[in-house]
Amino acid sequence: MNHTPTAQAAPPALSLEERYTFDVSGMTCAACANRIERKLNKLDGVSATVNYATERAVVTGITSPAQAVDVIRGAGYDAAEHDDQDDEWSRRANENRIVSLRRRLITAALLTVPLMDLTIALALVEQWRFPGWELLCVLLAVPVITWAAWPFHRAAWRNLQNRSVSMDTLVSIGILTSFGWALVSMLAGIDAADGVWLGIGEVPEGANALYLDVAAGLTTFQLAGRYFETRSRRRAGDVLGALSALGAREARRRRDGVETMVPVEELRTGDVVLVRPGETIAVDGRVIEGTASLDTGAMTGESLHRTVGPGDEVIGGTVSADGILALEATRVGAHTQLAQMAAIAEQAQIRKAQVQHLVDAVVRVFVPVVLVLTVLVALAWLLSGADLSTAVTNGISVLIIACPCALGLATPTALMVGVGRGALLGVLVKGQDALEASGKVTTVVLDKTGTLTIGAPRVVDIHPRGVTAEQLMRLAAGVEASSEHAVAEAIRTHAATMVADIPAATGHSVSPGHGISATINGESIAVGSPAFMHELGALLSGPMEEAVSEAEQAGRSTALVARDAEVIGVVTLSDAVKEDAAEAVAALHGLGLRTVLLTGDAPAAAERVAGSLGIPDVRAGVLPTEKVAVIEQLQDEGHRVAMVGDGINDAPALAAADLGLGIVTGTDVALKTADIILVRDDLYAIADAITLARATNRTIRTNLIWAFAYNIAAIPIAAIGLLNPLIAAAAMSLSSVFVVHNSLRLQNIQTLRPSAGPAPRGQGARSETTTNARAEMHQ
C-alpha cells in the first residue's frame, strides 16, 4: 500500500562550545601554524588550535578577540576575527594572495625560460659566448630571486626574528645560496674540477652561470607549487561554502498583511515568512498556512519530496516545489539547522586529528635537522677531496629536496576535504578525530526504536469478526478521533487509507493506560487492551484470543475493538522497521562490519526486528545504564565499536563507544554526545560515514607514505651527488601538488544508497542560489 511521504518534526538545534575563530593570513607552511599555536597556548588559560590547511585559528580562554589578534600579529602574521555573516576579510586576503602568487609566477617564468636557454646554450658551446654574457644572465636572474621570491625571503626573515625555522627558510636559503655561489664563482673564477654535470654530460669550464638557473628555477618551481597548492586548498575549503550557499539570502516577511522582501538577517523568531514555489525556505519554522511538496535533497540527500501542511515542521535550506507556504519562524540565522550544520562542519575541519599532531612534531624537528644535514653534506664532500663547487652543489640539492612541504599538507588537506564531503552527503562530522575513528570501526551497534524503526506504532494487521476490516477501522477511528495517544494516531492514519468518512462519537470515557470508549450511532464502542476488554466484560472468542497471542509472541502490541459487549476485531500494531533498514544493514555487512542490535525492548520484539534485517547478534531487555556495559564488553573482546542511537537513553553508550553516531531527529542530549550526526533520513548514511572515513584514512596513509618516502629516498640521492639542484626543486614542488590533488579525489565519493530515480513530477524551479550551490557540490 502506498503512502504519501509526510514531513517529520524539525530536528533539535545543534550547539557548539563557545569559542573564538580567527582568519589568519601570511602562513606559508605547517611550521607557521605550529608557531602561532605555540605562542597562543603560552597565554594563561588559553587553548588554541591553528590549522594551516583552512588558515583558521580556534581559541578559547582569551579575555577578548583583540588579545589573540595581537599575539598573532606579534608572531609576524595577520589575523581578524572570523564572521560567518561577512567573510570578506578572509576572502579578500586569499584572493590577493593568489593574485600575488600568479603575478610573481608569471614574471619568474618569463625571465627564467630565456635565462635557462641562454646559460645552457652558452655553457655548452664556448664559441657562442660573448663579453658580458654572464652579466646579462645575472640581470635576468635578479628580479626572479628578489621580487618573485620575496614571499619566501619575507617568511624566512620573519622566522629569523622569531628565532625559528620553517620550510620557507629552506627555500630562501637555497635560492640565496645558489645565486650567491654563482656570483662568487663567476667573480673568483672558481670552476668544478670535474666540470658541471647537466644531465647530458659535463660542460666546459666557465659555466658557473648555471647556478643562476638553479636559483631562478628553484624560485619558479616553488612559486608554481605554492600557487597551485593555494588554489587547491581554497577549492577544498569551498565545499563548506557550497553548504552555506544553500541558505536563502532574502525572505518574504508578512506583517500586518503586508509582504516585504527583507534580508534573512532581519528575521526574528515569531515572524511570518512566505515561501513561493521554487523558493528556498530561509528559516526553521512551523507551517501555519498552505500545503506544498518540499525538495529536501540539499539537507537530507533524499530524492523523494515530502508533503507538508499546517502544523508540520520545516527546516531552512529546503525548497518548496509546488505550493505557497506561510511559516512561523521558530529558529532564525545562526540557530537554524543549516547554519548549525555548516558551523559544526567548519569547526571539524579546523580541529586537528591525532596523526596531525604527530606530523606537526616531526616537521618542527625536521627543518632544523635538514639545515644541519646540509652543512654536514657539504663538509663531507670537502673532506673527501671534492672541490668547493661540487660540495656546495650537493649541499644545495639536499637543502632543496628535503623541504617537508608535502608532509605538512598530507593530513590536514585529506581531512578537510573528507569533512566537507561528508557534510554534503548528510554525514556531519564533529571533528577530524571522529573521521579517523570511523575508519577503524569493526562493529556497529544499532539502537532499535527510532533508529532502525520509525519510533511510532503503525497498524500492521487487522483481524475483524462479524464486520469487514473497513467497518472495524471506521468505528475504531471514530472513537480515537480526539485522542493524542500514539496508538490512536496509528489507527486514524491507517483508517484514512481505507475509508473516506469517520463517524462522530460522543460520551467519551477514558481509562488511562488501558483504553477509551464512546457512543457511535447509539452503539457503545470501546478500543483498548485485553485488560480493558476484561474490565468492560467484553468476551474474546477463540480466533480473537489466538490473534492476540500470536501478536504477543511476535513482540507486537494489540488494540481490541468491542461493540456493546462483544469483541469484533483485533488491530495489531508494531513499530515498523524503516523501509531502507534491511538494505542499509546489508550495506554494513558488505563493508565487512559486524552488526549488533541493542535495545531495552522485549526479546521477542528485538528478535523479530533483527531477523527481518539480518542482524545476527541481539542484546534485548538492556536498561539504559546497562548499554554502556555492553559497549565495554565488545571493546574488551577487541572490537572497535560504533554506536548508533537517537534517544536520551542512548547518550551514555554513544559516549562510551569508539565512535558515536546520532540520528539528527533524535534528542539534544544524543546529538551533543555523538561524534557524527546523520543528517539524512535514511540508514545508508551509516555505511556512507564508514566508507568516507575509510577512504579518508586511505588517502592520509597514501599522502604520508608518499611524503615520508619521498624525503627519505631523495635526501640520500642528493647527498651522494646524483641529484641536480634544478631537478630537486621541480620534484619537491610537485610532491606538494600531488598530495593536495590526491586529497581532492575524496570529493568524488558517492552515497552507497541506490538511486531513487528521477525527481517526481510537479517539481518547481529551484532558486538560483541552490542550483549554483548544488552544481558546486558535484564539481
Side-chain angles (χ1 to χ4, degrees), residues 4 275-279 290-295 305-308 319-325 760-766:
T4 302
V275 183
R276 299 185 182 278
E279 293 182 346
T291 301
S293 179
L294 289 189
D295 178 1
H305 290 192
R306 290 183 171 182
T307 301
V308 296
V319 180
S320 174
D322 55 10
I324 299 176
L325 297 174
R761 296 179 60 184
Q763 178 176 346
R766 295 182 178 92

Side-chain angles (χ1 to χ4, degrees), residues 48 393 404 435:
T393 298
L435 203 57

Side-chain angles (χ1 to χ4, degrees), residues 7 286-292 307-314 324-327:
R286 182 180 300 104
V287 179
I288 57 177
E289 296 175 15
T291 301
T307 301
V308 296
D312 289 329
E313 302 284 344
V314 297
I324 299 176
L325 297 174
L327 316 172

Side-chain angles (χ1 to χ4, degrees), residues 40 158 181 231 246 279 302:
L40 288 170
R158 183 168 54 215
W181 178 250
R231 284 191 51 155
L246 292 173
E279 293 182 346
E302 296 178 359

Side-chain angles (χ1 to χ4, degrees), residues 18-22 40-41 43-48 57-69 71 81:
E18 187 68 29
R19 66 189 73 190
Y20 294 93
T21 303
F22 300 89
L40 288 170
N41 284 323
L43 300 175
D44 291 338
V46 172
S47 175
V58 178
V59 187
T60 58
I62 54 176
T63 57
S64 69
Q67 181 186 16
V69 171
V71 172
E81 187 177 4

